[in-house]
Amino acid sequence: MKKFIVLLVCVVVLLVGDKSGIESSFDPKKAYEQGIAFYNNKEYDKAFESFKKACDGGNMRACFNLGVMYDNGIGVKKNEQKAAELYKKACDGGNMSGCGALGTMYEYGIGVEKNEQKAVELYKKICDGGNMFGCYNLGTMYAKGSGVEKDLGKAVELYKKACDGGDMHGCVNLGVMYEKGNGVEKNEQKAVEVFKKACDGGDMDGCRNLGVMYECGNGVEKNEQKAAELYKKACDGGEMLGCTNLGSMYANGDGVEEDFSKAAELLKKACDGGDMNGCRNLDIIYKLMAK
């Protein structure tokens, strides 16, 4: 009987060892990396399959990326509910990008029932964890009083944390708070400083706002040529209000030589891009050109 028991134990050990060998042959990290390669090569169907395998295997970055594909309808039919589920899985697994995306879904009621308090919780979680996107979004919630009691001072604190941490949107909003004196003592020079940081960091809203400061001479010596340069940078970078402002400068000959044709071109770009001020100004330019 003893020998029989020993043999049975040996059989169990061998089976467990064999199963472990099979599982270890699949590497979720490798599948995730393959998914990235497929995605960058625009092979979205293959990317989707690789991310799904990696996600099912426990790779939370893959779950987040899979959520993004469902969210935007890339390589799969758009499904915001499924995207929210995957963001939640990623978040629960410790992926901060998943938490941030899920927070946005709750904030706007996309794929889930709108719940601003839940959005605040998620933004706070990732902000406390060092994710500056979360700090910026949490600051915005405090600035608006959405899901939390309105507190402009707290918003400033969070925008500053985000800006100092490298989130350029945080710098833009911090600059606006300094420029208007919301939640902090009005300081146009400080506004210029943070708008410049945002612009240099690639945020086109920062470039446009810095252009406004130069055009109006707020916090800096008035310089319409510099304003036009900044509006052009913003416009070229896809910021439509920058196109509107630059078009208006061409229409008026401010900082650039007056050129109605160039003004119309820029204002049409702004209008086509969704800026209603551009549409209104374009109508005025067309009427002036018709005279």
Side-chain angles (χ1 to χ4, degrees), residues 31 51 71 82 86 94 117 131 135 166 191 196 203 238 258 285-286:
F51 287 145
D71 201 356
K82 185 67 177 176
L86 286 159
Q117 290 79 10
N131 183 296
C135 298
K196 184 178 187 305
D203 191 297
E258 184 181 290
I285 286 293
Y286 280 150

Side-chain angles (χ1 to χ4, degrees), residues 5 17 34 47 53 84 89 105 126 133 140 161 183 187 191 197 211 230 249:
I5 292 172
Q34 288 174 336
K53 288 177 183 177
K89 180 175 181 179
M105 304 290 266
I126 64 175
F133 169 79
T140 300
K161 181 176 180 179
N187 188 330
K197 179 177 179 179
L230 287 160
M249 296 193 84

